Amino acid sequence: MAVTLEQARRVGYTCLKALLRFAFMVANNLVAIPSFVLYLIMLQPLRMLDSESFWYIEGILFKWLLAMVASWGWWAGYTVVEWGDDVKAVSEDEAMVLVNHQATGDVCTLMMCLQDKGTVVRQMMWLMDHIFKYTNFGIVSLIHGDFFIRQGRAHRDQQLVLLKEHLEKYYRSRNRKWIVLFPEGGFLRKRRETSQEFAKKNNLPFLKHVPLPRLGATQVILKTLVAPQENGTPAGRDAVIKESKSKGLQWVIDTTIAYPRGEPIDIQTWILGYRPPTVTHVHYRIFPVKDVPTEPEALTHWLYQRFTEKEDLLTHFYETGAFPPLPGETKAVSREMTLSNLWLVGIQSLAFLSGGMWYCLFRYFYHCLF
């Protein structure tokens, strides 16, 4: 079939836009990430004198970096509409966020939709696949104290021990509030078939839109971060809670991400922007942690219930284009999430000005020394 002039122009425009966006993303990373690292190196004396203030500043810089990633999608027309419970109400409390995982764009979507949730972004900890340690953002996450988990049965027990140690060492010493994890242990396209086979063998729910979740990391987080009075766990388990006067983990936020027609956005699309403007829908349900069991069998059943609900939510969304009302409500209410273009431009400008400043300083000292 012959290509019309209009089609050729459209393809040419899309390719040019993608190339320019890629160049901007590379330049953005080259100035922002080294600047983040260098600012924190310069602030090491403050870390020794006043650790709390150091991690407060680090959190602000971290939020700005995530806002830069959010801006790549925002300026491509990739926006978010939120449904269900309003998580702003618990943004200052400790919470565990359970998210379904369809593609690399899920992380970018969360980076965007959590920007307007108070202090959440700068005080959150991410659990992510260890492969992300070797990406451009790996050094930032390492400094921030995120946990990189290695997948696979051979590593599972060791990784859970390392996760517990990591939480005890970094979570409250750096004043973290929210912890985000993907309990499925991988992308939907990679986990669906094995999950369905497991469900058939064990007479469990047969799910199409989400795999069955895994127990390990969720249980470790609950047992490590929940205050003793919430579920009767022995008081000596987490002395850090007493030292920091923390109330411990108070909420579990069940988060469901849905893409139109079930076509997820990946990181390449987020960067290059070749997909038409898309609205991603995010649904929240908040559960008090005191209602969440910690014993393996009961917690497994509770998680399976949540993911069965996710299946129902996604089925309803793909059929109607909207999420259903929350239990006890008659009408579902959506909220369009917005970002300030002025604020995003200001952060990007600061990144490029910082990059220029560090470049000039290095050149000056180089000429002084040589």
Side-chain angles (χ1 to χ4, degrees):
M1 186 175 68
V3 177
T4 66
L5 182 60
E6 182 61 30
Q7 289 173 326
R9 285 176 177 171
R10 192 179 301 117
V11 170
Y13 170 75
T14 301
C15 292
L16 178 61
K17 182 177 72 171
L19 182 62
L20 292 173
R21 285 177 57 88
F22 180 75
F24 175 78
M25 183 276 298
V26 171
N28 204 179
N29 277 277
L30 287 175
V31 295
I33 293 175
S35 294
F36 173 85
V37 174
L38 290 168
Y39 278 128
L40 295 181
I41 290 174
M42 296 294 291
L43 288 170
Q44 287 305 303
L46 176 64
R47 182 179 180 179
M48 292 184 285
L49 295 171
D50 186 352
S51 177
E52 185 176 346
S53 295
F54 173 85
W55 289 113
Y56 176 84
I57 295 170
E58 183 275 342
I60 292 174
L61 296 176
F62 183 78
K63 179 177 180 176
W64 289 353
L65 279 180
L66 268 58
M68 292 177 201
V69 177
S71 73
W72 304 342
W74 181 258
W75 288 333
Y78 304 147
T79 57
V80 172
V81 168
E82 298 176 310
W83 302 75
D85 291 323
D86 186 358
V87 295
K88 288 182 180 180
V90 299
S91 63
E92 297 302 315
D93 299 332
E94 290 189 26
M96 175 173 63
V97 184
L98 307 177
V99 192
N100 62 313
H101 208 8
Q102 301 181 60
T104 48
D106 297 340
V107 175
C108 302
T109 297
L110 289 173
M111 288 180 178
M112 175 186 288
C113 65
L114 296 179
Q115 283 291 327
D116 67 343
K117 307 299 186 292
T119 62
V120 164
V121 175
R122 65 178 178 84
Q123 291 183 289
M124 72 195 313
M125 179 181 286
W126 297 76
L127 265 66
M128 58 188 78
D129 193 282
H130 80 288
I131 196 67
F132 285 100
K133 186 189 297 185
Y134 308 105
T135 65
N136 59 315
F137 217 75
I139 183 64
V140 173
S141 291
L142 278 171
I143 293 171
H144 186 68
D146 297 328
F147 184 77
F148 299 94
I149 193 163
R150 186 182 291 272
Q151 303 291 344
R153 188 174 299 174
H155 308 285
R156 193 168 298 161
D157 291 341
Q158 181 193 28
Q159 290 298 298
L160 295 179
V161 172
L162 292 174
L163 173 59
K164 184 177 186 298
E165 293 173 352
H166 185 88
L167 293 172
E168 291 174 339
K169 185 175 182 180
Y170 296 117
Y171 190 80
R172 292 200 170 87
S173 67
R174 298 186 182 184
N175 196 27
R176 300 296 174 240
K177 290 290 183 70
W178 283 24
I179 183 164
V180 180
L181 71 153
F182 301 93
E184 298 149 311
F187 297 137
L188 173 62
R189 68 177 186 276
K190 294 182 178 180
R191 290 271 297 117
R192 177 161 40 199
E193 186 175 343
T194 55
S195 174
Q196 290 174 344
E197 289 174 359
F198 179 79
K200 284 182 180 179
K201 289 179 182 178
N202 295 276
N203 195 29
L204 294 169
F206 186 86
L207 309 177
K208 297 180 180 180
H209 304 307
V210 290
L212 289 169
R214 292 172 175 172
L215 174 68
T218 304
Q219 186 179 34
V220 168
I221 291 167
L222 288 171
K223 288 197 169 185
T224 307
L225 299 182
V226 174
Q229 66 271 19
E230 294 289 353
N231 60 6
T233 335
R237 174 190 48 77
D238 192 359
V240 183
I241 291 179
K242 291 184 178 180
E243 292 174 7
S244 65
K245 299 180 181 178
S246 168
K247 295 179 181 178
L249 204 68
Q250 295 175 266
W251 309 98
V252 175
I253 302 174
D254 186 23
T255 304
T256 304
I257 299 176
Y259 298 96
R261 300 178 300 281
E263 299 173 358
I265 297 175
D266 55 26
I267 188 65
Q268 300 95 318
T269 306
W270 194 269
I271 292 170
L272 300 178
Y274 50 76
R275 180 168 168 173
T278 301
V279 179
T280 301
H281 296 255
V282 181
H283 183 278
Y284 306 104
R285 280 198 71 191
I286 302 174
F287 297 88
V289 78
K290 61 183 176 62
D291 295 340
V292 182
T294 57
E295 294 307 312
E297 186 175 346
L299 179 57
T300 299
H301 178 68
W302 188 88
L303 283 172
Y304 285 174
Q305 282 184 314
R306 301 290 75 75
F307 274 73
T308 301
E309 289 173 3
K310 284 182 184 292
E311 176 79 7
D312 294 339
L313 286 170
L314 290 167
T315 299
H316 188 279
F317 176 83
Y318 294 140
E319 290 175 353
T320 66
F323 283 116
L326 287 169
E329 296 183 357
T330 57
K331 182 180 179 182
V333 179
S334 63
R335 303 173 297 275
E336 186 175 350
M337 186 267 164
T338 60
L339 291 174
S340 166
N341 285 312
L342 183 61
W343 180 62
L344 293 175
V345 169
I347 291 173
Q348 292 285 9
S349 300
L350 179 61
F352 282 96
L353 287 171
S354 296
M357 178 193 72
W358 291 115
Y359 175 74
C360 291
L361 284 174
F362 277 118
R363 286 201 62 181
Y364 173 76
F365 285 114
Y366 178 84
H367 287 300
C368 289
L369 293 172
F370 304 103

